[in-house]
Amino acid sequence: MDDEIINYINRSSYRARVFKAIGEDVKMPKEIAKDSGILQNHISNVLRELKNQNVVECLNPNVRKGRLYRLSDDGLEILDKIK
């Protein structure tokens, strides 16, 4: 299972960069964009893809501005494997 998700993340440089940019922190999309070097308008699509794989979670999904994202428990385990 982990290998499939790791391969999925690594197949896209954007997914890999966003995943690593979040790391062990809680970040807003603007911070993720800055830390990953990816334009902010691409970040929401990548976050959606990673959320669909259950490796990223939004802590305040009902808020329109200032959403906070972090890696899920599964995401943190995978982060250790791809660092």
Side-chain angles (χ1 to χ4, degrees), residues 40-57:
Q40 192 171 346
N41 58 340
H42 295 291
I43 296 297
S44 62
N45 288 334
V46 177
L47 286 170
R48 187 177 320 105
E49 292 172 2
L50 294 171
K51 280 186 349 193
N52 288 340
Q53 295 298 315
N54 298 315
V55 294
V56 169
E57 56 192 16

Side-chain angles (χ1 to χ4, degrees), residues 2 5-7 9-10 15-16 19-20 75 77-83:
D2 284 355
I5 295 175
I6 290 169
N7 289 335
I9 292 168
N10 286 329
R15 284 192 294 256
F19 190 78
K20 291 174 184 175
E77 283 181 30
I78 290 168
L79 181 66
D80 287 336
K81 295 177 183 177
I82 65 172
K83 271 188 175 176

Side-chain angles (χ1 to χ4, degrees), residues 13-64:
S13 67
Y14 277 19
R15 284 192 294 256
R17 287 161 56 190
V18 165
F19 190 78
K20 291 174 184 175
I22 297 171
E24 296 180 12
D25 299 321
V26 173
K27 294 185 177 181
M28 292 189 294
K30 185 175 183 177
E31 297 170 297
I32 296 167
K34 181 177 175 256
D35 293 347
S36 66
I38 298 171
L39 294 174
Q40 192 171 346
N41 58 340
H42 295 291
I43 296 297
S44 62
N45 288 334
V46 177
L47 286 170
R48 187 177 320 105
E49 292 172 2
L50 294 171
K51 280 186 349 193
N52 288 340
Q53 295 298 315
N54 298 315
V55 294
V56 169
E57 56 192 16
C58 181
L59 300 180
N60 52 349
N62 297 327
V63 175
R64 282 194 49 81

